Amino acid sequence: MASDGARKQFWKRSSSKVPGSIQHVYGAQHPPFDPLLHGTLLKAAPKAPATPVKAKRVSTFQEFESNTSDAWDAGEDDDGLLAMAAESLNTDVVMETAHRVLRNHSQRQERRKPQDAPGPEQEPKPSAEPPSVPSGDLRLVKSVSEGRTSCPAESAGDAVPLQRSQSLPHSATVAAGGTSDPSALSSSALSEREASRLDKFKQLLAGPNTDLEELRKLSWSGIPKPVRPMTWKLLSGYLPANVDRRPATLQRKQKEYFAFIEHYYDSRNDDVHQDTYRQIHIDIPRMSPEALILQPKVTEIFERILFIWAIRHPASGYVQGINDLVTPFFVVFMCEHIEEEDVDAADVSRVPADVLRNVEADTYWCMSKLLDGIQDNYTFAQPGIQMKVKMLEELVSRIDEQVHRHLDQHEVRYLQFAFRWMNNLLMREVPLHCTVRLWDTYQSEPDGFSHFHLYVCAAFLVRWRKEILEERDFQELLLFLQNLPTAHWGNEDISLLLAEAYRLKFAFADAPNHYKK
């Protein structure tokens, strides 16, 4: 057996690594500890270690084992300091070190953009800042902390509490020094994406024969504003795919529309048509946006469009709800000729008369194309809407039985709230700009207004399941469903709604028995 001196020499720990020794977890909240730098900070800390560590001479393994609970003894000198740090690491030191690295990284990012003038808080401090380090590795915190020997008082003055997300090297939200704006970064990326999509649209539309199938795929997720008027005219079937034929088609259709005006519009005061014209005249001021619709020129345009359509479609005639379907086409086609970003409140009187005539004719023909696909919604007794509301009820009963049962228990009938959804294509439920975005997809879908709209309504209803289930009264439920809080909705909300509707269509459209009990 070896002598006691040999055992002592064997078990005594030096600076070499020993299996089972204490290994600190380095991360956002526990950067590597530097005893040379922070030793004075630990000595100044008033809090004593929870478990005092004392240097001791271990002569036998039995003595060592009796005094050790979970690891080898750390020994003295630097190992002793390291063990103390494991017990009482100063939080201010940790925060100050992590903050310094993040601030340094942010300033390095700003220095890469010389065109951006640094703000007052971004000016470099040569005497206080550590040398720059690569931003991708948090393991370099220790090497940075070695380069800084400022006193604790200075550190405490600069320290700012950090969230966990701020400890990441590429985080966009840094509390001080070289702050990056996440909204600016996201808007920049968004503008690049929008510019790329706009280029794709322009290339597709500039070809001698536009590929309508490819145009539908590209338009499903939204159409950029500059190319929306031409894209809508193509997708609605108003204009041909061949570029050379478009000018002649526009001219012929516009001439044809104003021939209808000349031939039919004077009969609006005849006994046989005066009821129709009177109802149109009453309904138009009820439309939105009021700032646009109540302008005299716009009112006259809408009256002519609706009256001519009613005269030329005697099977249905004019029905309340058709008037709302004029607005999106008119607003989109006016965007080509109005500088204001908000067309809703634009002064139409400043638009040249010939331009207004062309917009009026284009609006009439595109609205007619839309109504050709859903005309059974507006014939006697409106059988198309009755059928769609029944299908909506069956669909919701399959996808969310709890909501369906809740409505049934409180005697709320789908016809009481969903009739308007089908009659006005959700135009009274969401803002106008959301309707325009919704119609981008409707015109990209086969039978979008007549078929895909059913799944959008189902997704729209289930979207409010939490609020619906919280209501315990018939009146409150009906008031909520007829006045849904969508006033602040944007394109993101519509995109989520359309994505859910597409999922439902994928699950149920080709398997109608799925939504039958």
Side-chain angles (χ1 to χ4, degrees), residues 5 32 63-64 229 282 294 360 396 450 456 486 497 508:
E63 293 179 13
F64 176 82
I282 292 173
L294 294 182
E360 180 179 345
V396 172
S450 61
V456 172
T486 59
L497 181 68
F508 294 99

Side-chain angles (χ1 to χ4, degrees), residues 34-243:
D34 185 359
L36 295 179
L37 175 63
H38 301 300
T40 56
L41 299 177
L42 286 172
K43 291 176 182 178
K47 184 179 178 180
T51 306
V53 179
K54 58 182 180 179
K56 49 185 179 292
R57 294 174 60 254
V58 182
S59 58
T60 66
F61 177 73
Q62 287 77 13
E63 293 179 13
F64 176 82
E65 186 178 34
S66 65
N67 292 315
T68 304
S69 60
D70 60 350
W72 304 103
D73 188 28
E76 61 264 6
D77 300 330
D78 290 350
D79 289 336
L81 277 173
L82 199 59
M84 291 175 64
E87 296 293 339
S88 60
L89 190 60
N90 195 315
T91 304
D92 292 338
V93 173
V94 174
M95 287 302 192
E96 187 271 339
T97 304
H99 169 64
R100 193 183 308 121
V101 174
L102 291 171
R103 183 173 57 186
N104 175 66
H105 166 69
S106 300
Q107 289 181 347
R108 285 184 67 250
Q109 293 294 101
E110 290 299 319
R111 283 197 290 269
R112 293 178 183 175
K113 304 176 182 178
Q115 67 273 17
D116 296 335
E121 72 277 7
Q122 296 173 336
E123 294 178 0
K125 301 177 183 179
S127 61
E129 293 303 319
S132 61
V133 295
S135 59
D137 195 348
L138 283 174
R139 291 174 296 180
L140 296 175
V141 175
K142 181 175 180 178
S143 63
V144 174
S145 65
E146 289 174 352
R148 169 111 175 182
T149 55
S150 59
C151 66
E154 295 174 0
S155 304
D158 294 338
V160 177
L162 297 175
Q163 302 295 329
R164 288 194 177 189
S165 61
Q166 294 173 337
S167 65
L168 297 175
H170 295 287
S171 177
T173 54
V174 182
T179 304
S180 301
D181 186 1
S183 62
L185 293 174
S186 61
S187 63
S188 174
L190 186 63
S191 62
E192 290 180 5
R193 185 164 64 250
E194 288 176 347
S196 175
R197 295 191 76 244
L198 180 58
D199 289 340
K200 291 180 181 179
F201 272 95
K202 287 181 176 179
Q203 292 174 11
L204 197 57
L205 295 172
N209 288 285
T210 303
D211 186 345
L212 295 181
E213 190 59 36
E214 190 63 29
L215 186 62
R216 287 189 181 93
K217 292 179 182 177
L218 201 57
S219 302
W220 202 98
S221 55
I223 303 172
K225 186 177 180 180
V227 295
R228 182 176 278 134
M230 178 57 68
T231 305
W232 275 27
K233 292 172 187 176
L234 289 168
L235 294 179
S236 65
Y238 172 46
L239 289 183
N242 185 275
V243 175

Side-chain angles (χ1 to χ4, degrees), residues 21 24 56 70 80 134 143 173 256 429 447 453 472 490 505:
S21 61
H24 295 282
K56 49 185 179 292
D70 60 350
S143 63
T173 54
E256 188 177 349
E429 319 308 320
D447 302 318
H453 180 67
R472 301 291 179 180
K505 178 194 171 188

